[in-house]
Amino acid sequence: MSFTVAIIGRPNVGKSTLFNRLVGKRLALVDDTPGVTRDRREGEARIGSLKFKVIDTAGLEEAFDDSLEGRMRRQTEMALEEADVALMIFDARAGVTPMDKHFAGWLRKTEKPVILCANKCEGRIAETEMMEAYSLGLGDPIALSAEHGEGIGELFDALLPFEVEQVPDVAAKDRPLALAIVGRPNAGKSTLVNHLIGEERLLTGPEAGVTRDSISVEWEFEGQKIKLVDTAGIRRRSRVQKKLEKLSVADSLRVIKLAEVVVLVIDADVSFEKQDLTIAAHVIEEGRGLVVAVNKWDTVRDRNAMLQHIRDKLQISLPQVRGVPVVTLSALTGRGLEKLLPQVIRVYELWNKRIPTSQLNRWLEHMLEKHPPPMAKGRRLKVRYITQVKSRPPTFSLFMSSRGELPESYLRYLINGLREDFDMPAVPIRIATRTGKNPYVKE
């Protein structure tokens, strides 16, 4: 299962009924008598294409001793620790009770994301009582009828951000790292590949455009399998006239799309040109990790000025990926080459990085306090929680209210915060915002 959901609430609000609805079977006993469920029960739940583990818990009681109620409460606390998100259920017919408020306050103090659900909303007969739910401080409630299956679509939308990409359980060193070597013509890409693998595998020469096809070479570095791909030089589109060169450039761009980390080789003799930045921007747009290799470094006289010039260009032209590693080397002599592959593997690890949801939401709370979201239509946009939905590259889903969209400037603020606080330089970071439907708006 991709994530775990704990159903929590006071006794007799319909937790077990919802549990049975989600798992598609009558696994949990259901009765009007409060306190039927005592142990936590787990099941494999499914809503449409969304699969997850769900935990049914005993009704929360204000008991902290070794009594039966106290032991039941500890089981609920253990379920909450195991879960990625909690569903707090309250009875919309009975309205918000003091016990609901007490346990909502307890949930707010935890680090788990909470989705508030108003159960027993058949035919919207309890719609007025649902307005009290805002006093719980857990955001917009979802109107449900666990018994009749109403509101499950809205619950699907709320749980979707917690779905994580299913990655095969294969050790990183058992998967070959797809590494592309790109750059302008005659930058020394093939010479670099030959020196890395220790043989004259690729044709080289002083003429520009010697390499026409993308050449793949299987290789291994310190136990990490690597699939090296040398590409044809990429010139400005206005300079590409011949059909063969157009095909070569198109093949190089295809290799970038299939790579995981890209090494952009720069010719130090001609400095850092606009075409280099164009290639780097294309790498980031494709979501690949980036390392810059400055070749022919042994011919540079003022090395400090050259290095600062390259870093300044990257900082100004590629602000969306701060901290791109810059490695200086000579592909012909091999000097400085030992620094390249460790940087590639580090970027590869960052590209695969995954951050726990609890850490992300602690971080988000700090970022919102530091710089609250802007106003929209006279009301402040409300961000509820964040979760990482996939890696390769790191991609996050930000769940928020439906009153408006976050401006690009605020998303950049969050992305820069993620990059700095979780140490993720050189890889693109993506954030997608998600909003839920307002259950009070009749279609």
Side-chain angles (χ1 to χ4, degrees):
M1 298 295 102
S2 61
F3 64 101
T4 303
V5 177
I7 304 176
I8 292 175
R10 62 180 178 82
N12 211 33
V13 294
K15 300 185 297 299
S16 295
T17 305
L18 179 60
F19 174 86
N20 288 340
R21 171 70 61 180
L22 293 175
V23 299
K25 303 175 184 178
R26 292 183 61 86
L27 296 180
L29 292 177
V30 176
D31 191 78
D32 291 337
T33 305
V36 173
T37 302
R38 290 181 173 176
D39 293 298
R40 52 185 171 137
R41 180 186 295 273
E42 299 180 358
E44 296 183 1
R46 180 170 183 171
I47 306 177
S49 61
L50 190 63
K51 296 180 181 179
F52 54 94
K53 183 170 79 171
V54 63
I55 305 176
D56 185 24
T57 65
L60 284 168
E61 301 276 3
E62 293 189 73
F64 300 90
D65 52 16
D66 290 329
S67 63
L68 177 61
E69 290 78 12
R71 297 198 302 274
M72 289 162 58
R73 179 191 175 95
R74 284 197 293 274
Q75 286 289 322
T76 300
E77 291 173 345
M78 291 169 63
L80 184 62
E81 289 178 4
E82 182 182 345
D84 297 298
V85 57
L87 298 184
M88 163 112 186
I89 313 296
F90 76 97
D91 187 341
R93 290 180 175 177
V96 176
T97 67
M99 191 177 290
D100 290 322
K101 292 182 179 180
H102 173 78
F103 291 118
W106 171 66
L107 284 172
R108 287 199 306 269
K109 293 177 183 178
T110 67
E111 300 169 354
K112 299 291 182 180
V114 179
I115 299 173
L116 184 62
C117 298
N119 194 25
K120 306 181 184 179
C121 290
E122 295 87 351
R124 298 187 180 273
I125 59 176
E127 192 168 297
T128 55
E129 287 77 3
M130 283 182 62
M131 297 301 294
E132 297 181 45
Y134 288 96
S135 65
L136 298 176
L138 296 175
D140 298 333
I142 296 174
L144 288 178
S145 173
E147 186 173 358
H148 297 89
E150 297 179 10
I152 300 300
E154 286 74 13
L155 183 59
F156 172 87
D157 291 336
L159 291 175
L160 190 60
F162 295 94
E163 184 181 30
V164 296
E165 181 184 25
Q166 297 296 309
V167 180
D169 188 17
V170 181
K173 290 194 175 183
D174 293 336
R175 293 195 305 267
L177 190 164
L179 176 62
I181 311 295
V182 303
R184 289 182 284 111
N186 211 32
K189 300 182 294 299
S190 298
T191 305
L192 174 61
V193 173
N194 284 341
H195 214 112
L196 282 173
I197 64 178
E199 61 176 281
E200 292 294 318
R201 172 65 177 78
L202 302 175
L203 185 64
T204 62
E207 305 87 358
V210 172
T211 302
R212 288 179 172 177
D213 293 315
S214 296
I215 307 299
S216 175
V217 180
E218 298 286 344
W219 185 57
E220 190 171 306
F221 174 77
E222 295 183 355
Q224 171 68 63
K225 296 178 181 177
I226 298 176
K227 185 178 181 181
L228 271 171
V229 184
D230 183 30
T231 63
I234 304 174
R235 293 200 298 170
R236 287 204 301 267
R237 184 177 299 179
S238 60
R239 293 187 178 181
V240 179
Q241 302 295 334
K242 296 181 180 180
K243 180 181 179 181
L244 182 58
E245 187 175 359
K246 289 181 179 179
L247 294 174
S248 298
V249 171
D251 193 39
S252 299
L253 297 178
R254 179 189 61 84
V255 168
I256 291 174
K257 185 178 293 187
L258 298 176
E260 295 170 324
V261 180
V262 175
V263 173
L264 172 59
V265 182
I266 297 172
D267 187 344
D269 288 342
V270 292
S271 187
F272 200 38
E273 293 190 342
K274 183 179 178 181
Q275 179 63 8
D276 296 313
L277 290 171
T278 302
I279 298 172
H282 181 74
V283 171
I284 300 306
E285 287 172 7
E286 293 292 346
R288 311 299 103 178
L290 177 64
V291 177
V292 173
V294 186
N295 191 24
K296 307 178 186 178
W297 191 244
D298 49 344
T299 64
V300 177
R301 293 183 179 179
D302 193 346
R303 297 183 176 181
N304 290 333
M306 171 72 77
L307 198 57
Q308 190 61 46
H309 170 71
I310 293 172
R311 287 174 174 162
D312 289 345
K313 283 274 191 180
L314 288 170
Q315 181 72 18
I316 295 171
S317 303
L318 298 174
Q320 66 271 38
V321 281
R322 297 179 178 177
V324 174
V326 178
V327 179
T328 57
L329 52 87
S330 171
L332 188 61
T333 65
R335 186 172 182 178
L337 214 59
E338 71 282 354
K339 300 178 291 184
L340 180 61
L341 268 300
Q343 289 288 358
V344 167
I345 292 175
R346 177 173 178 266
V347 170
Y348 177 65
E349 291 171 349
L350 292 173
W351 193 66
N352 284 277
K353 187 170 185 175
R354 188 173 290 280
I355 305 171
T357 300
S358 58
Q359 290 185 25
L360 280 172
N361 282 281
R362 285 198 300 269
W363 168 84
L364 179 63
E365 184 179 355
H366 169 73
M367 295 294 285
L368 296 177
E369 289 177 357
K370 184 178 176 182
H371 185 185
M375 306 284 284
K377 299 179 181 178
R379 300 179 65 184
R380 189 168 298 281
L381 294 172
K382 186 172 183 180
V383 178
R384 295 180 182 173
Y385 50 83
I386 187 172
T387 186
Q388 185 173 356
V389 293
K390 66 182 291 290
S391 57
R392 307 166 63 86
T395 304
F396 302 87
S397 187
L398 193 69
F399 203 76
M400 53 180 293
S401 64
S402 57
R403 290 192 293 268
E405 294 185 358
L406 282 177
E408 284 294 326
S409 58
Y410 198 82
L411 288 176
R412 284 197 301 271
Y413 161 71
L414 294 177
I415 289 173
N416 290 336
L418 283 168
R419 190 179 304 284
E420 181 176 347
D421 295 335
F422 293 102
D423 187 26
M424 292 192 292
V427 294
I429 296 175
R430 295 169 176 172
I431 294 182
T433 57
R434 291 189 59 85
T435 57
K437 294 180 180 179
N438 189 336
Y440 309 110
V441 176
K442 295 182 179 180
E443 296 181 0

